[in-house]
Amino acid sequence: MTTAIEFRNVDKVYGDTRVVKQLNLSIQRGQLVTLIGPSGCGKTTSLKMINRLIEPSSGSIFVSGNDTKAVDPVELRRKIGYVIQQIGLFPHMTIEENISLVPKLLRVNKEQYMKRADELMELVDLDPRMYGKRYPKQLSGGQQQRIGVARALAADPDIILMDEPFSALDPISREQLQDELIKLQEQLKKTIVFVTHDMDEALKIADQIVLMQNGHVVQHDVPEQILRHPKDDFVREFVGEKRFMQFNAFRHVEEVMTEAVTVRPGRGIAECVQHMRRRHVNSLIVTDREGRYLGVVGAEEVYEHYQNESATAEMAMRRDAPTVMPDSNVEEVLTILQTNAKGFLPVVDRSEKLIGVVTRASVLNVITPLTGEESDDGSTVASI
């Protein structure tokens, strides 16, 4: 992988204040990299130095191997896409004219840049026949921001800079545009530098996260490594203790299991069906009087035995369903769950006594706690 952008010992000073301090950073071609940190950490200043909207006080910035100081800033900006929070569409131009502006300045012929405008509107999921002749004020904020992204792509730049582009949008529009950006990036593989103050956004969209503090990089890594291996207390505090707990704390099944919905072996199949409906589950765990695990009765077993009025849970149950121990490793159990059609595993102790169940939902509920009602996999021990 080749380097698209490189900062070498870059400083930015305003009066007596060093906003960026000896910044050394390499951004690889085709990656989406987020710059994130508290207000005043230098992330937006660093972004704007790439296309020379802000000039560095010292040091060098290289774009595609060229020192930006040796490139005319206007020419540099025309070759780098730029999307900002305020969108910056020209209100007196139609949508297609806004998108076509940079190709037009680059003297692309009209037929080509109009065709390109239509393609880009379709790429950001806006019908060019419906929106091309409209003006920015006739679009919603989310639609305008989509056009801002399309305009940044118009000249087919290798590099796109995005300065908190979605932060002014409502949560639903923001989520949709994040998804759209991920889709676009999978398709186009541009080098994108994305400034955000939202760690959830960074974790969702980034290939690499650059976490900054007081003008320098504290940690630069893939999201998973930042979550699992924070460099220091600042990273831990900024990313959020809750996220570290979600990703790192759970090592054994007993930490993520939930209570099971059970049935005695002598109960009839119709009774099992009623119990499943009442408890909103699709399987029951069969236990004896002492609570020892015997087997599992699921929807398939019920269907197979329902016509037999004398059939019981014990007759219908599967005895070969896998079980796990409470000290089993969560990662290993998740692997088993992925291949287990029933989506749950009974948890038993060494005497085969049932002590709970681990389900896909119970793991997710612990890692990303839900509000409101608990999952339908069963949350309390029940016997009939």
Side-chain angles (χ1 to χ4, degrees), residues 80-328:
I80 295 177
Y82 189 47
V83 187
I84 57 175
Q85 178 181 330
Q86 295 80 12
I87 306 170
L89 299 179
F90 293 102
H92 61 286
M93 292 184 178
T94 65
I95 297 308
E96 62 185 14
E97 288 171 340
N98 266 281
I99 294 173
S100 302
L101 181 60
V102 174
K104 188 175 180 180
L105 292 171
L106 293 172
R107 303 188 185 280
V108 175
N109 73 60
K110 185 174 182 179
E111 184 181 347
Q112 283 182 300
Y113 68 64
M114 294 301 286
K115 181 182 177 184
R116 177 72 172 156
D118 287 352
E119 290 171 349
L120 288 169
M121 275 187 273
E122 290 176 352
L123 195 64
V124 297
D125 205 24
L126 291 173
D127 186 343
R129 292 167 297 181
M130 184 179 296
Y131 295 99
K133 302 299 183 184
R134 294 188 186 183
Y135 289 87
K137 67 180 181 181
Q138 297 174 299
L139 274 60
S140 69
Q143 289 170 335
Q144 289 185 41
Q145 197 59 276
R146 286 172 187 264
I147 297 303
V149 172
R151 186 174 64 180
L153 292 166
D156 199 21
D158 292 329
I159 295 170
I160 300 172
L161 309 180
M162 307 185 81
D163 189 6
E164 301 205 50
F166 309 147
S167 61
L169 301 176
D170 64 87
I172 293 174
S173 296
R174 185 172 188 168
E175 188 85 13
Q176 289 173 341
L177 279 167
Q178 289 167 355
D179 292 338
E180 200 69 38
L181 179 63
I182 292 168
K183 240 180 1 182
L184 281 173
Q185 179 62 355
E186 287 174 351
Q187 182 178 343
L188 301 176
K189 289 296 180 186
K190 300 293 184 182
T191 303
I192 300 176
V193 185
F194 189 111
V195 166
T196 181
H197 64 274
D198 184 342
M199 182 53 75
D200 286 324
E201 184 167 65
L203 290 169
K204 178 177 179 177
I205 68 173
D207 298 312
Q208 297 269 332
I209 293 175
V210 178
L211 185 52
M212 298 182 69
Q213 180 189 29
N214 297 328
H216 67 272
V217 174
V218 179
Q219 189 165 356
H220 175 193
D221 215 325
V222 296
E224 182 78 4
Q225 289 302 305
I226 286 179
L227 285 167
R228 291 185 181 275
H229 305 290
K231 186 175 181 180
D232 57 22
D233 289 341
F234 167 76
V235 177
R236 182 177 294 277
E237 183 179 349
F238 189 84
V239 175
E241 193 69 34
K242 182 179 176 182
R243 290 193 185 91
F244 289 113
M245 183 177 71
Q246 290 168 357
F247 276 79
N248 293 322
F250 307 109
R251 291 288 177 258
H252 299 112
V253 164
E254 61 187 349
E255 298 172 86
V256 293
M257 72 181 183
T258 188
E259 294 178 297
V261 180
T262 62
V263 63
R264 293 285 182 259
R267 295 294 182 174
I269 296 300
E271 292 179 273
C272 291
V273 171
Q274 287 302 310
H275 194 37
M276 288 180 189
R277 287 175 176 165
R278 190 164 57 247
R279 299 306 305 277
H280 306 292
V281 295
N282 57 18
S283 295
L284 301 172
I285 298 176
V286 185
T287 58
D288 66 14
R289 192 179 301 275
E290 283 73 41
R292 285 190 293 269
Y293 168 77
L294 299 177
V296 173
V297 176
E300 293 177 12
E301 290 77 30
V302 165
Y303 181 80
E304 185 179 341
H305 292 83
Y306 193 77
Q307 298 303 320
N308 181 0
E309 294 187 10
S310 63
T312 62
E314 185 173 25
M315 291 171 59
M317 70 184 183
R318 278 187 57 199
R319 301 171 189 269
D320 60 347
T323 62
V324 293
M325 304 287 284
D327 58 353
S328 299

Side-chain angles (χ1 to χ4, degrees), residues 12-25:
K12 181 60 188 177
V13 180
Y14 291 105
D16 296 329
T17 305
R18 289 176 71 196
V19 178
V20 176
K21 306 170 184 175
Q22 289 293 291
L23 179 60
N24 288 284
L25 174 65

